[in-house]
Amino acid sequence: QVQLVESGGALVQPGGSLRLSCAASGLSLDHYTVGWFRQAPGQEREGISCIDGDDGQAYTPDSLKGRFTISRDNAKNTVYLQMNSLEPEDTAVYYCAADRRSWYQFFLLDVGEFDAWGQGTQVTVSS
């Protein structure tokens, strides 16, 4: 009954932008840390960004900071990932996940430790 559903993935040209959405049912995202991951074929799942549910603290690795921005809309129970200046290397399946623990613990968790995962949305960056 707890569901996270990603949407917004698409085929986009290099340099383009996309906004991904993660809509929650069965839990209120403002009480969870919510984050985004991506996984390309044959590669490990990579953490992108997360936002804490209590104070809104956000974390993005330096390698992605400036191009990827996470945000939350509590009224819609939805978390977004704005992606700009996309590159072919950004091609992957993008997943959202939620956990009750704080933002600084989020990317230290194993996949099975998260409270919820979405099924992913495909992002393809190609000309």
Side-chain angles (χ1 to χ4, degrees):
Q1 58 182 11
V2 176
Q3 291 190 74
L4 300 177
V5 179
E6 302 96 335
S7 62
L11 172 65
V12 62
Q13 294 184 349
S17 298
L18 287 173
R19 189 176 75 159
L20 306 183
S21 299
C22 176
S25 299
L27 74 163
S28 296
L29 292 182
D30 58 341
H31 298 303
Y32 290 78
T33 300
V34 179
W36 289 91
F37 295 79
R38 66 184 181 184
Q39 188 168 25
Q43 298 184 348
E44 295 184 351
R45 195 164 295 187
E46 175 190 15
I48 299 171
S49 185
C50 65
I51 186 166
D52 199 279
D54 55 0
D55 60 4
Q57 288 287 321
Y59 169 77
T60 305
D62 290 341
S63 60
L64 297 171
K65 190 179 300 182
R67 297 197 300 119
F68 288 55
T69 304
I70 194 168
S71 62
R72 182 193 303 270
D73 187 333
N74 290 334
K76 297 181 179 180
N77 207 27
T78 299
V79 170
Y80 303 96
L81 182 68
Q82 179 67 45
M83 306 187 297
N84 299 324
S85 301
L86 287 166
E87 305 168 355
E89 292 74 20
D90 296 317
T91 296
V93 178
Y94 284 70
Y95 300 88
C96 66
D99 194 80
R100 298 180 301 276
R101 282 161 281 201
S102 299
W103 68 270
Y104 53 85
Q105 300 175 295
F106 192 81
F107 290 126
L108 301 178
L109 300 175
D110 293 330
V111 170
E113 294 182 295
F114 288 87
D115 291 318
W117 281 97
Q119 294 300 307
T121 184
Q122 177 71 48
V123 172
T124 302
V125 184
S126 176
S127 60

